[in-house]
Amino acid sequence: MLEYLEAIFSVAVLASGIRLATPYLLAGLGETVGQRSGVLNLGVDGVMQLSAFFAYWTVLVHENLWLGIGVSVLVGLVMGIIYAIVTVFFEAQQGISGIGIFLFGLGFSDLMFQKNVGTPRFVKSLPDVRIPVLSDLPVLGEALFSHSVVIYGAFLLVPAVAWLLRKTTFGMNVRAVGENPQAADSLGVSAQRTRFIAILIGNVLAGLAGGALVLQLGVFQPNLTQGLGFIAVALVYFGAWRPSGVMVGALLYGLVAASVLQLKALQLIPRSYSDIAAMAPAVLTIAALVILAGRVKAPAALTRPFARH
Amino acid sequence: MATNTGEVMLEMRNITKRFPGVLANDSVNFDVRAGEVHTLLGENGAGKSTLMKVLFGLYQPEEGEILLNGTPTKITSPTHAINQRIGMIHQHFMLVPTLTVAENVALGLKSGRRPLTDLKAVARGIADISDEYGLAVDPNVDIWRLSVGERQRVEIIKALYRKAELLVLDEPTAVLTPQEVDELFAILRDMRNSGKGLVFISHKLHEVMALSDRITVLRNGKVTGATTPAESDRSKLASMMVGREVKLAPDKPLVEIGKPRLTISNLSVDGDRGAVAVDGVDLEIRAGEILGIAGVSGNGQRELAEAIAGLRSVKSGSTISIDGKDVAGMDTRDRRNAGLSYVPEERMRDGAIGDFTVAENLILVDHGSDEFSARGMFKFAEIETHCSQLVSDYAVKTPSLETPTSSLSGGNIQKIILARELANEPSVMIASQPTRGVDIGAAEYIHSRLVDARDRGMATMVISEDLDEVLGLADRIAVLCDGKVMDIVPVEGATKEQLGLLMAGVKS
């Protein structure tokens, strides 16, 4: 028993948990902004797959990591514009439109990969940046302050998104439009424009999440995300539509996943059970969602298209 | 009454607005002077809200023009209307419940600290307005924590913060207690005396009489009369609205009160959020009797009705019996078989299915009975005979039995529900807000049918927030406050003031 605990509560697991949590965090933060404006985006996973592939391909060809990150953001932006036009201006049902985006992302990234790359080749991955002084702190320094810039950025986005929602006029408009778009509209706040921008923010962060994921691994394969984007959507509910809550969920998910990986690596889990162990994070999320169900209220206008009458 | 009315602030000339197949406004003339309350009176669908939507820039009229302070102005959007100092207090509050008072007021306005909000400055502005008009409210509280009366104050503050000079109030008293109505009227009179122009939209005649300086009556899109409270009275106003003589209170013949049909004792029910909503209620209704339930919305009326109807579970120790049979543990079907019928408060959610046809809604309870089906197949001929009879008995205005119910007016939908619920001669009826949002004509009809059924020996519970309705219909009145019965009084000698105090939880 002790060996299991030692394996789980180690600096290596903490560091890898933070790394694994990052794509969930980025995508979840973006989805938080979108949902607060009343728009559910089930296409997050598809956007991540597309942005992951294009970021990977860019780095494969140009060998420039930052160009790759830039491309992932751009892919998110383009997909965001498409999703926003469909759901905001054509008032399409959000659930099914998002699934359309997901299927497109899944299929198109696979197709592009097969046509242009074929067999997976490794590219360089995002370098760790050791933060002076802090990373030399005993025990936790290594785990917390020796990561890539994207990871630091993701965690800095947590207070930034909270600030955006709480303190800015735009954030107030987002919250108003997500609760009662008619009221916002009656005061001259355009529900359409506010949602459009919120969707773009959400998709840009989903794109970045895909880029971060693939450039941490250094390699792309079809269906790279394996549902990660859907988990990110679930984490928004888990986190009660608050950036800090989403961060807690993402970290929990990352740490459990890292622990399972560690136990597998140390062969503390028999091979035949490893698939079952890999389900642990998902089971945990479902359990948490069931326990939290009904405790907090979703934005009242979530998934309701807005139209003037 | 203010007589020192000033300049004409608003003049709407020959406004005509057409919708496919409907002439919603037909050359309507309407004007408002500074320092007056001008009431717009009319039934649902008379064209009041169309006219106000034209004023607020939500619709463009086909003909006619709007003059603001003498200048012809084309109002193109709500924002434009707000900039022209027109404010609108909507019947359904346009507030974001999860935002604070100050945030709701600030929405849509330029902040002095862009891109950040400047809620402190807004809070100061709110405090100034609060002081000037006696509109006390804390700017830093979330809207969902406020009472309905307070929310309405926020709506008024929102308009005044935007420097509105002309204020349109669309049925502002629909959700208020009598005391809150008095407070609101005091505030509105203050605003009038300070020179603002107010448009008051209502169909509650005694309020119209109490507040208005002038009254314009609309019917079927046309102005059918202009009068003042001094030259008119409630029944004159009602007949101007409906176009014929109207009985405001039904004739209630004296009938012999029979045996108890509905007996409720120690009934306790939880609300949606877990707190106790109905707290140890004892009630008895006898054959030939209408018990009115008065109370401010949200004091347990809905939970009481749903518990009796079987839609909400009761706490142990509660008993509900119909004609001596204990029904507390029964499902809704068995309760109906025991003689219960139910006209729910939310008629489109709980009372009828909007996409279903008139005929389908009319047989919704009995569609599985031998009368209307055999071996799982509908007997269409029988259904049609039965439904045509009900439609003509209840004067339901519908193009056909196959018309989707949601396309009918509220009054006609309510008649369909009532026809269905009364069809089996129930022994007990629970009628929740039976005429809310229903035309005077249809309300008069619904009242008379309820009284007829009472005369035939039905025990009826009428739950209503409209005290005039309760006083007109009931034989006895029970007042609910905080889930408890404050008192039960006979209708003879009951006054609104007395009921209002009980509704507010004050026991005499």
Side-chain angles (χ1 to χ4, degrees):
Chain A
M1 194 63 214
L2 199 62
E3 59 196 26
Y4 287 87
L5 292 177
E6 265 176 22
I8 291 173
F9 293 103
S10 66
V11 172
V13 167
L14 182 57
S16 115
I18 289 171
R19 200 167 298 126
L20 290 172
T22 301
Y24 296 102
L25 179 59
L26 282 168
L29 286 175
E31 181 66 8
T32 303
V33 176
Q35 290 202 13
R36 286 300 281 268
S37 82
V39 183
L40 171 72
N41 182 5
L42 289 179
V44 172
D45 201 72
V47 174
M48 287 178 67
Q49 307 220 26
L50 275 180
S51 67
F53 169 74
F54 282 103
Y56 167 75
W57 194 25
T58 305
V59 177
L60 197 63
V61 175
H62 296 285
E63 298 191 349
N64 183 334
L65 282 168
W66 303 117
L67 196 61
I69 291 289
V71 164
S72 72
V73 167
L74 197 68
V75 170
L77 188 68
V78 171
M79 295 309 289
I81 291 171
I82 294 171
Y83 189 64
I85 289 173
V86 168
T87 54
V88 175
F89 293 127
F90 293 115
E91 294 161 32
Q93 291 293 321
Q94 293 169 9
I96 200 68
S97 318
I99 290 180
I101 295 272
F102 160 66
L103 289 172
F104 171 75
L106 174 69
F108 193 66
S109 60
D110 191 357
L111 175 74
M112 293 300 284
F113 177 76
Q114 304 299 351
K115 288 231 29 123
N116 297 307
V117 183
T119 45
R121 275 172 288 159
F122 274 89
V123 295
K124 50 183 179 176
S125 52
L126 289 167
D128 286 347
V129 177
R130 292 177 62 88
I131 295 181
V133 188
L134 289 177
S135 60
D136 296 328
L137 290 173
V139 192
L140 288 182
E142 186 69 24
L144 299 182
F145 299 106
S146 177
H147 287 295
S148 75
V149 174
V150 173
I151 293 179
Y152 298 131
F155 281 86
L156 287 176
L157 272 174
V158 175
V161 171
W163 175 84
L164 178 81
L165 289 171
R166 247 320 99 210
K167 296 284 178 192
T168 67
T169 314
F170 172 72
M172 190 168 83
N173 291 348
V174 166
R175 288 183 286 133
V177 162
E179 284 293 329
N180 189 347
Q182 277 75 22
D185 187 60
S186 75
L187 296 174
V189 173
S190 164
Q192 278 99 343
R193 200 177 64 195
T194 307
R195 284 186 170 179
F196 201 102
I197 298 170
I199 290 171
L200 291 193
I201 292 174
N203 279 267
V204 160
L205 290 182
L208 187 58
L213 176 71
V214 78
L215 297 179
Q216 278 174 9
L217 291 170
V219 68
F220 183 86
Q221 64 179 41
N223 195 15
L224 179 77
T225 55
Q226 304 197 356
L228 191 160
F230 287 98
I231 302 291
V233 174
L235 289 179
V236 176
Y237 289 76
F238 174 91
W241 293 271
R242 275 197 285 272
S244 56
V246 172
M247 181 180 76
V248 169
L251 278 174
L252 193 66
Y253 212 92
L255 290 171
V256 173
S259 306
V260 172
L261 284 177
Q262 176 80 342
L263 293 176
K264 270 162 77 177
L266 296 175
Q267 297 188 328
L268 290 169
I269 301 177
R271 258 188 167 284
S272 47
Y273 291 121
S274 67
D275 283 347
I276 296 174
M279 297 192 319
V283 172
L284 194 79
T285 311
I286 292 169
L289 283 173
V290 169
I291 293 165
L292 291 172
R295 301 264 172 97
V296 285
K297 273 180 72 186
L302 185 59
T303 75
R304 289 214 320 261
F306 172 77
R308 262 195 199 165
H309 294 291
Chain B
M1 295 297 119
T3 46
N4 55 334
T5 45
E7 303 281 302
V8 175
M9 304 173 78
L10 164 75
E11 207 180 338
M12 300 180 84
R13 281 189 193 154
N14 296 319
I15 300 290
T16 297
K17 176 72 197 168
R18 288 186 195 88
F19 293 109
V22 187
L23 191 55
N25 282 160
D26 186 0
S27 299
V28 173
N29 288 299
F30 185 74
D31 67 283
V32 183
R33 297 195 192 107
E36 73 164 351
V37 178
H38 191 163
T39 292
L40 204 48
L41 181 67
E43 300 260 65
N44 296 324
K48 293 170 303 191
S49 25
T50 304
L51 189 67
M52 289 303 113
K53 282 180 175 171
V54 167
L55 172 62
F56 215 55
L58 288 162
Y59 294 149
Q60 292 306 317
E62 270 83 36
E63 284 161 42
E65 60 177 351
I66 298 173
L67 282 78
L68 292 173
N69 299 316
T71 319
T73 312
K74 203 169 140 66
I75 300 173
T76 51
S77 71
T79 321
H80 187 199
I82 291 169
N83 291 339
Q84 299 291 327
R85 302 199 164 182
I86 302 171
M88 174 99 92
I89 312 296
H90 297 268
Q91 184 182 2
H92 304 287
F93 296 153
M94 288 290 189
L95 294 170
V96 183
T98 50
L99 263 54
T100 66
V101 171
E103 285 177 321
N104 269 281
V105 171
L107 257 185
L109 292 176
K110 275 219 169 82
S111 159
R113 294 171 58 217
R114 266 170 296 156
L116 297 182
T117 51
D118 193 2
L119 298 176
K120 282 198 182 121
V122 175
R124 280 195 297 274
I126 293 174
D128 290 344
I129 294 168
S130 296
D131 289 347
E132 191 177 346
Y133 294 100
L135 291 155
V137 64
D138 178 353
N140 300 315
V141 176
D142 283 351
I143 295 292
W144 61 267
R145 292 180 179 277
L146 300 181
S147 73
V148 175
E150 289 170 314
R151 287 180 202 201
Q152 188 162 52
R153 273 181 241 157
V154 178
E155 284 284 28
I156 295 173
I157 289 171
K158 246 167 69 181
L160 293 178
Y161 193 91
R162 287 165 172 74
K163 309 227 180 308
E165 288 298 322
L166 177 70
L167 216 65
V168 180
L169 298 119
D170 188 3
E171 307 212 0
T173 61
V175 287
L176 302 183
T177 63
Q179 278 79 10
E180 283 175 322
V181 170
D182 290 344
E183 284 169 32
L184 174 70
F185 282 10
I187 291 163
L188 296 181
R189 287 189 187 109
D190 270 359
M191 288 169 56
R192 173 188 67 188
N193 295 341
S194 74
K196 300 205 185 295
L198 303 179
V199 180
F200 179 62
I201 300 177
S202 180
H203 59 249
K204 292 190 184 169
L205 299 171
H206 62 97
E207 292 178 356
V208 170
M209 293 294 291
L211 186 68
S212 314
D213 296 307
R214 286 194 290 155
I215 302 165
T216 292
V217 185
L218 279 181
R219 187 169 75 237
N220 296 329
K222 283 198 189 84
V223 174
T224 53
T227 181
T228 64
E231 297 164 353
S232 194
D233 61 37
R234 283 174 56 198
S235 57
K236 270 187 201 154
L237 289 178
S239 44
M240 281 166 89
M241 274 167 81
V242 183
R244 59 175 169 82
E245 289 294 313
V246 178
K247 280 201 200 89
L248 288 174
D251 290 331
K252 276 177 27 196
L254 274 175
V255 292
E256 200 168 319
I257 303 297
K259 59 183 176 28
R261 302 205 87 163
L262 176 69
T263 312
I264 294 166
S265 67
N266 194 28
L267 179 69
S268 293
V269 186
D270 278 342
D272 292 341
R273 290 177 187 270
V276 178
V278 177
D279 192 359
V281 164
D282 300 304
L283 290 171
E284 182 184 83
I285 312 179
R286 293 168 171 263
E289 189 182 42
I290 297 179
L291 177 72
I293 304 279
V296 181
S297 168
N299 274 277
Q301 297 96 318
R302 186 166 63 88
E303 291 82 358
L304 174 66
E306 289 179 357
I308 301 171
L311 302 173
R312 188 174 279 272
S313 49
V314 299
K315 295 216 208 181
S316 64
S318 309
T319 60
I320 303 169
S321 60
I322 293 173
D323 288 333
K325 197 192 281 179
D326 182 13
V327 301
M330 289 184 183
D331 64 20
T332 51
R333 167 63 57 191
D334 288 341
R335 289 184 203 214
R336 282 183 175 276
N337 292 340
L340 179 74
S341 69
Y342 177 45
V343 175
E345 164 180 357
E346 297 267 348
R347 73 181 69 101
M348 287 319 291
R349 194 188 69 192
D350 301 332
I353 300 174
D355 291 340
F356 275 26
T357 65
V358 169
E360 283 169 334
N361 273 305
L362 279 169
I363 60 160
L364 204 51
V365 175
D366 298 316
H367 56 277
S369 71
D370 293 341
E371 194 184 350
F372 302 127
S373 65
R375 293 177 297 278
M377 305 282 277
F378 279 136
K379 299 181 188 168
F380 287 105
E382 281 83 347
I383 291 172
E384 199 186 322
T385 318
H386 173 80
C387 294
S388 317
Q389 188 64 44
L390 285 182
V391 163
S392 76
D393 281 357
Y394 284 79
V396 179
K397 277 184 217 149
T398 172
S400 76
L401 288 176
E402 304 310 315
T403 305
T405 306
S406 57
S407 68
L408 304 183
S409 73
N412 281 304
I413 295 170
Q414 192 71 332
K415 283 182 185 174
I416 290 172
I417 295 170
L418 194 72
R420 180 186 74 211
E421 295 298 318
L422 287 175
N424 294 333
E425 289 290 325
S427 45
V428 174
M429 166 168 283
I430 310 298
S432 246
Q433 319 294 349
T435 62
R436 179 152 77 189
V438 166
D439 293 345
I440 291 192
E444 181 192 21
Y445 192 84
I446 289 165
H447 287 160
S448 74
R449 298 310 293 239
L450 285 173
V451 170
D452 284 350
R454 153 203 181 256
D455 297 347
R456 292 195 304 271
M458 184 170 81
T460 314
M461 176 185 285
V462 172
I463 300 174
S464 178
E465 282 151 28
D466 180 352
L467 279 183
D468 287 321
E469 174 166 59
V470 174
L471 287 164
L473 266 182
D475 298 299
R476 287 185 301 142
I477 301 170
V479 181
L480 274 188
C481 179
D482 224 3
K484 293 194 179 74
V485 174
M486 295 299 294
D487 203 357
I488 304 179
V489 296
V491 73
E492 297 83 16
T495 64
K496 274 190 202 170
E497 290 67 32
Q498 172 198 12
L499 295 175
L501 283 174
L502 288 168
M503 284 161 72
V506 182
K507 237 179 175 161
S508 41

